[in-house]
Amino acid sequence: MLELKNVFKSYGEGEQKQPVLDDMNWTFKEGQFTALLGKSGSGKSTVLNLLSGLDSPDKGTVLFSGNDLYNRADNDLSKIRLVHFGYIFQSFNLLSNLTAYENIEYPLYLLNQGEADRKKKTLEILEQLELSPYQNKLPSQLSGGQRQRVAIGRALVKSPKFIFADEPTANLDEKTGAEIINLIKRLQKHYGSTIIYVTHDTDIVNVADTCLFLTNKKIEP
């Protein structure tokens, strides 16, 4: 379970300080595809960064499995991110010198999984993503949709509890974006992960289990 309790977040200093989140409270249920919608600049990515261990609140608490996510040693937080969290970014963030296969496999290296186990999981993901024919291609040799599929595979391969998706279709054309959204939904059901998906695209309401809206620095159903 992930929970925001009385969370405040601002950016800037002094007179330039701007509040982004104001006394935010929400509990994100496991096993669901939750979409968080809002206008550009409303704080959607800030919420995602707080939930995913990438940024800490000014005040308040982010709870992961009942414990304060940020009240722990840096090494412990890094381990939680590595084991339990997966990330899908708008700009893909693939390693340019690794093939599609190697990009997907890489988190399993970091988890010190054996070669046979890594190969089995990576090949399964490649097949699920219909990327098997492209597994030896570098990111520069792939289309935008194919690169985003690789990024999805990298997030899923370690079977994390939570996957955080930050506008993953923003750089794709409408048709490819719709395909990616439906693919994420199908794989979320298959692997049982919880997805928190940030977007301004209202078409997501046709796919997500739960849609939340970020308005006036708070989350509303």
Side-chain angles (χ1 to χ4, degrees), residues 46-64:
T46 298
V47 172
L48 207 67
N49 289 339
L50 292 172
L51 292 169
S52 63
L54 297 177
D55 195 6
S56 58
D58 296 341
K59 292 192 296 182
T61 308
V62 181
L63 295 174
F64 170 66

Side-chain angles (χ1 to χ4, degrees), residues 85-108:
F85 295 167
Y87 303 87
I88 306 172
F89 300 99
Q90 178 178 331
S91 56
F92 315 133
N93 287 12
L94 300 177
L95 297 173
S96 61
N97 60 329
L98 298 185
T99 65
Y101 179 100
E102 291 165 340
N103 264 284
I104 293 173
E105 182 190 35
Y106 187 63
L108 303 179

